Structure formats: structure tokens, C-alpha cells
Amino acid sequence: MSDTHKLEPGQKVNLGEMPADGKDFHDNRKEAEKEFKELRKEFRDLQARLYAEDKRQMLIVFQAMDAGGKDGTIRVITQGVNPQGVRVASFKAPSKKELAHDFLWRIHPHAPARGMISIFNRSHYEDVLVVRVDNLVPESIWRPRYDHINNFEELLVDSKTTILKFYLHIDREEQRERFQERVDIQEKNWKFSFEDLEKRKQWDGYMAAYEEMLEKTTTTYAPWYVIPANQNWY
Ligand code: ATP
Ligand code: MG
């Protein structure tokens, strides 16, 4: 795993100053796509070995603002991977039953079993993001969750899970363009919701929540990567 976009524990995070343009890191889209295909081949091979070895497992977490590219990224990285060895879990707003439990209750069953890769499309991190920005619970409830998350992830790592966490970083203008596409292009209409526009107004609140989350939950055993995601080919 390249360390270019990896955060260090204790690092101060200012997303406004962090690159969202992947083109500044790779100047040739064609070349990048070729490299990606090579890497994906390697990923497939390693996944097959992980499954055959059956001794450890991997968790990959994706977080991003709406239209940040989580779905598309998961679709392309898993292409050709043996579906028996990979599970994707998408976390939506919790049900009444889920809300009656602690916030990790619905997450834990989706942690990977031995030999498996779990990919989270959204995750337990929503519980310090949307929950904070929308004031769904008081700060006295969400603030201790950074520690709970770190402890939970430490448990997974101690149980032989490798954890990779990616924040797909787009800027506000890129999000506007992607929403516009969802309106303009019929095949993409289904992805658009008016809630997205409401959320857009909360951009600054989300950036603050993401920044603190990235600072508090980048650990030696489960660091975050902030991936410039304005160009999805990068
Ligand atoms: P798409 O990219 O297709 O829009 P999505 O992941 O945004 O996919 P949606 O159904 O649009 O899927 O949104 C899921 C919603 O569930 C998000 O708004 C997210 O913030 C919300 N959500 C996820 N986890 C929680 C949580 N723990 N508490 C409250 N809301 C949550
Ligand atoms: Mg959405």
C-alpha cells in the first residue's frame, strides 16, 4: 500500500488544504488506468491467497461526501474478484431495532470472517458524522464514540484483521457537478435525491466533522488514507 495519502496518528487535518485533485499526482489518465488494471490483478491474486490461507482477514472502509464515488470505487476494485471471498456491506440510516442497541451492534456482524474481505460502503463512522452534523444525539453521546471506535478496531486488528480506511476527498465544486449530472443524465436520475441538496448546505459542518474524525481515529493499527477523488480515474 502506497503511503502517499496516509495520515499519521496525531496529524492535524485541514481538508480545505488537502489535495482533492488526483491529476496533481498523476498526469496521465490512460497510464493511470493501465496501472490500475495491473494493481487490480494483484489484488485478485492476493485475495485468492488470503482465502486459501484462511488465517486472517481484511476490512476496507469507504467514507465520502455524497457523490464522492464510493459506489463506483467499490464496483471497479471488486471486478473479477472471487465473489465467495468478498462481502460488501452498505450502511444506511439505522432501523428502529438497530437504534435500540449500541451503535456498533449492527456493524460487528459484518466484520470479515477468516479468509474474507469485507468492504464497508459507509460504516460506524456515520455515527460521528451525520449523527453529529444533524444533532441526532447530544455531543455527550457521540464524542466518546471516537474511543469506542478505536477500541473496536483494535479488537479486530488483534483478531488478525488488516484494516484499510479510505476517505474519498472531493471538493464542493466537484460535488455540484456530479449532482448536476445526476439530474441531467436519465440513467443517473435514480441516484439523485433532494436530501442531497439539504446535505450540501451542511458542507462546512461535514468538513469539520470529517476533520475531527480523521484526527481522532487515525491510529498506528488502522490509519486513514485521504484520497484525492475529484478525478475518479485516479
Ligand atoms: P448513494 O451514493 O447511492 O446516494 P448512499 O450511501 O448515499 O448511496 P443513501 O440511501 O442515499 O445511500 O443514503 C444512506 C443514508 O444513510 C446517508 O444519508 C447516511 O448518512 C445515512 N446513515 C448511514 N449510517 C447512519 C447512521 N448511523 N445514522 C444516521 N444516518 C446514517
Ligand atoms: Mg445518497
Side-chain angles (χ1 to χ4, degrees):
M1 196 59 226
S2 154
D3 282 352
T4 314
H5 303 298
K6 185 174 159 183
L7 297 181
E8 293 303 325
Q11 187 179 331
K12 195 100 189 82
V13 178
N14 182 337
L15 286 171
E17 285 171 5
M18 292 185 82
D21 275 326
K23 61 176 161 37
D24 294 341
F25 293 87
H26 206 304
D27 53 10
N28 187 328
R29 174 176 182 161
K30 277 249 141 54
E31 200 51 46
E33 284 168 348
K34 233 170 81 194
E35 283 169 35
F36 171 73
K37 285 189 179 138
E38 288 299 313
L39 286 169
R40 183 167 62 191
K41 208 164 147 276
E42 200 179 328
F43 181 64
R44 278 178 209 155
D45 292 347
L46 290 169
Q47 185 278 326
R49 289 200 211 184
L50 182 79
Y51 190 78
E53 181 196 46
D54 195 27
K55 284 199 174 134
R56 48 189 152 166
Q57 57 279 348
M58 173 172 268
L59 171 62
I60 306 176
V61 174
F62 285 103
Q63 283 291 154
M65 293 295 281
D66 288 293
K70 300 182 300 297
D71 291 17
T73 303
I74 292 169
R75 190 172 62 240
V76 296
I77 65 169
T78 54
Q79 220 173 348
V81 175
N82 180 0
Q84 288 209 91
V86 182
R87 299 273 181 279
V88 179
S90 297
F91 294 96
K92 311 280 182 187
S95 67
K96 223 172 152 186
K97 184 173 175 194
E98 287 169 340
L99 282 173
H101 292 268
D102 70 82
F103 77 107
L104 292 170
W105 180 80
R106 68 171 185 153
I107 307 290
H108 208 158
H110 298 280
R114 241 182 9 237
M116 300 287 295
I117 297 176
S118 284
I119 300 178
F120 284 2
N121 184 350
R122 301 187 190 270
S123 64
H124 42 304
Y125 285 99
E126 293 291 328
D127 291 281
V128 290
L129 294 166
V130 61
V131 165
R132 167 182 176 162
V133 177
D134 281 351
N135 270 311
L136 300 181
V137 300
E139 179 166 357
S140 59
I141 300 286
W142 61 254
R143 184 157 291 283
R145 288 180 175 170
Y146 298 122
D147 286 339
H148 292 313
I149 288 172
N150 289 338
N151 290 334
F152 171 61
E153 291 181 357
E154 191 175 22
L155 166 69
L156 298 183
V157 170
D158 282 349
S159 318
K160 296 198 164 61
T161 309
T162 298
I163 304 182
L164 296 173
K165 304 187 291 195
F166 299 106
Y167 169 61
L168 305 181
H169 181 34
I170 58 169
D171 58 31
R172 210 162 177 234
E173 174 54 22
E174 181 63 25
Q175 190 194 48
R176 193 191 62 73
E177 285 172 24
R178 291 185 188 185
F179 279 163
Q180 193 62 51
E181 262 187 19
R182 291 180 177 186
V183 173
D184 294 342
I185 303 175
Q186 203 180 358
E187 291 72 28
K188 293 190 177 180
N189 284 171
W190 67 275
K191 276 207 148 235
F192 183 76
S193 77
F194 284 100
E195 276 166 40
D196 289 340
L197 294 185
E198 282 307 307
K199 282 233 191 110
R200 206 172 142 67
K201 292 186 196 145
Q202 302 168 311
W203 181 272
D204 292 338
Y206 269 102
M207 287 304 108
Y210 263 106
E211 285 170 356
E212 186 164 14
M213 175 284 265
L214 292 165
E215 285 171 9
K216 296 253 161 74
T217 63
T218 290
T219 53
T220 49
Y221 51 89
W224 277 99
Y225 293 79
V226 178
I227 308 297
N230 276 355
Q231 289 77 38
N232 52 18
W233 54 264
Y234 180 75

Coordinates of all heavy atoms in Angstrom, one line a residue, residues 66-67 70 92 122 179 182 191-193 195-196 199, ligand 2:
D66 N -21.6 12.8 -0.2 CA -22.5 12.3 -1.3 C -21.9 12.6 -2.6 O -21.3 13.6 -2.8 CB -23.9 12.9 -1.2 CG -24.6 12.4 0.0 OD1 -25.0 11.2 0.0 OD2 -24.9 13.1 1.0
A67 N -21.9 11.6 -3.5 CA -21.4 11.7 -4.8 C -19.8 11.7 -4.8 O -19.2 12.0 -5.8 CB -21.8 13.0 -5.6
K70 N -18.0 6.4 -3.7 CA -17.9 5.2 -3.0 C -18.4 4.0 -3.9 O -17.6 3.0 -4.0 CB -18.6 5.2 -1.7 CG -18.2 6.3 -0.7 CD -19.0 6.2 0.6 CE -20.5 6.4 0.4 NZ -21.0 7.7 -0.1
K92 N -27.0 2.1 5.8 CA -28.0 3.2 5.6 C -28.4 3.7 7.0 O -27.9 3.2 8.0 CB -29.2 2.7 4.9 CG -28.8 2.0 3.6 CD -28.5 2.9 2.5 CE -28.2 2.1 1.2 NZ -27.7 3.0 0.1
R122 N -20.0 3.3 3.6 CA -20.4 3.9 4.8 C -20.1 2.9 5.9 O -19.9 1.7 5.7 CB -21.8 4.4 4.9 CG -22.1 5.5 3.8 CD -23.5 6.1 4.0 NE -23.9 6.9 2.8 CZ -23.6 8.2 2.8 NH1 -23.0 8.8 3.7 NH2 -24.0 8.9 1.7
F179 N -23.8 16.2 -8.9 CA -25.2 16.2 -8.7 C -25.9 16.7 -9.9 O -27.0 16.1 -10.3 CB -25.5 17.2 -7.5 CG -25.3 16.7 -6.2 CD1 -25.2 17.5 -5.1 CD2 -25.3 15.3 -5.9 CE1 -25.1 17.0 -3.8 CE2 -25.1 14.8 -4.6 CZ -25.0 15.7 -3.6
R182 N -26.4 13.9 -12.2 CA -27.5 13.0 -11.8 C -28.8 13.5 -12.2 O -29.8 12.8 -12.4 CB -27.4 12.8 -10.3 CG -26.2 12.0 -9.9 CD -26.1 11.8 -8.4 NE -24.9 10.9 -8.1 CZ -24.6 10.5 -6.8 NH1 -25.4 10.8 -5.8 NH2 -23.6 9.7 -6.6
K191 N -30.0 8.1 -8.7 CA -29.1 8.4 -7.7 C -29.3 9.7 -7.0 O -28.7 10.0 -5.9 CB -27.7 8.4 -8.3 CG -27.1 7.0 -8.4 CD -25.6 7.0 -8.3 CE -25.0 5.8 -7.7 NZ -24.2 6.0 -6.6
F192 N -30.1 10.6 -7.6 CA -30.3 11.9 -7.1 C -31.4 11.9 -6.1 O -32.5 11.4 -6.3 CB -30.6 12.9 -8.2 CG -30.7 14.3 -7.7 CD1 -29.6 15.0 -7.4 CD2 -31.9 14.9 -7.5 CE1 -29.7 16.3 -6.9 CE2 -32.0 16.2 -7.0 CZ -30.9 16.9 -6.7
S193 N -31.2 12.6 -4.9 CA -32.4 12.8 -4.0 C -32.3 14.3 -3.5 O -31.2 14.9 -3.4 CB -32.3 11.8 -2.9 OG -31.3 12.2 -1.9
E195 N -32.7 15.2 -0.6 CA -31.9 15.2 0.6 C -30.5 15.6 0.4 O -29.8 16.2 1.2 CB -31.9 13.9 1.2 CG -33.1 13.6 2.1 CD -33.1 12.1 2.4 OE1 -32.1 11.5 2.7 OE2 -34.3 11.5 2.4
D196 N -30.0 15.2 -0.8 CA -28.6 15.6 -1.2 C -28.4 17.1 -1.1 O -27.3 17.6 -0.7 CB -28.2 15.0 -2.6 CG -28.1 13.5 -2.6 OD1 -27.9 12.9 -1.5 OD2 -28.2 12.9 -3.6
K199 N -28.2 18.3 2.4 CA -26.9 18.0 2.9 C -25.8 18.9 2.4 O -24.8 19.2 3.1 CB -26.5 16.5 2.5 CG -27.2 15.5 3.3 CD -26.2 14.5 3.8 CE -26.8 13.3 4.4 NZ -26.5 12.1 3.6
Ligands
MG2 MG -27.0 9.3 -1.1

